Amino acid sequence: MRRVRPGAASRGPAERALTSVAAGAAYTGDTDGSSDHLPHEQPREGEPSDAPRLWHVTLSVSGARTPLAEVRRGLEQLAHDHPFLLTSRYAQDHAEIRYWEEARDLHDAAAVALRLWGEHRQSAQLPPWEIVGLEVIDRDTYHQRIAEGYGPLPATPVGVHPF
């Protein structure tokens, strides 16, 4: 999978592209025989089994205190470079980024999300924080949580905002 902003020119050879990592046909989750692994997802009716789906991603990062203006500027640059980001919330020592990712399965969506902060730390001048949390849920689960009144609130207002 390659993330490209609509209308963007092709990348130069020095810039790294985000790519998907396939889990492989033999992957079944935990190998210890326990039943607490994720079941394989079934394709929706009429969709090919390898069709991309939408996943709601919440990425949490944390680290040393950084001036708010620097954190905001970095998150705004990240959102400008990658318009798929919906909203970011931030404080001096942590931030949360929420967005929709299109991927074949949860493994691909999570792999892309786990690389997002590190791969764009220099280009967006993000703080040297580490990822401390990741939630990836499918679109149906997201909408079910919202309808039932719990789960992540809809990402409004869109943009970069303090906690």
Side-chain angles (χ1 to χ4, degrees), residues 40-136:
H40 289 292
E41 295 178 341
Q42 300 299 316
R44 295 180 189 194
E45 189 174 322
E47 283 186 356
S49 61
D50 61 347
R53 296 170 48 198
L54 284 177
W55 301 88
H56 186 266
V57 176
T58 304
L59 182 69
S60 299
V61 294
S62 180
R65 292 175 66 88
T66 303
L68 286 176
E70 289 181 31
V71 176
R72 180 179 184 89
R73 191 218 34 78
L75 291 171
E76 286 175 343
Q77 183 62 48
L78 182 62
H80 178 266
D81 292 347
H82 302 280
F84 60 91
L85 296 178
L86 287 177
T87 188
S88 299
R89 299 186 307 164
Y90 64 94
Q92 288 184 322
D93 60 352
H94 65 281
E96 178 183 271
I97 299 168
R98 298 175 50 189
Y99 65 97
W100 288 97
E101 179 68 58
E102 185 177 63
R104 180 178 52 89
D105 59 22
L106 181 136
H107 301 100
D108 284 353
V112 171
L114 288 170
R115 290 191 306 269
L116 177 71
W117 189 263
E119 288 190 358
H120 300 287
R121 187 174 290 153
Q122 280 190 324
S123 63
Q125 298 177 344
L126 297 166
W129 294 345
E130 67 177 328
I131 296 172
V132 296
L134 174 65
E135 180 185 52
V136 181

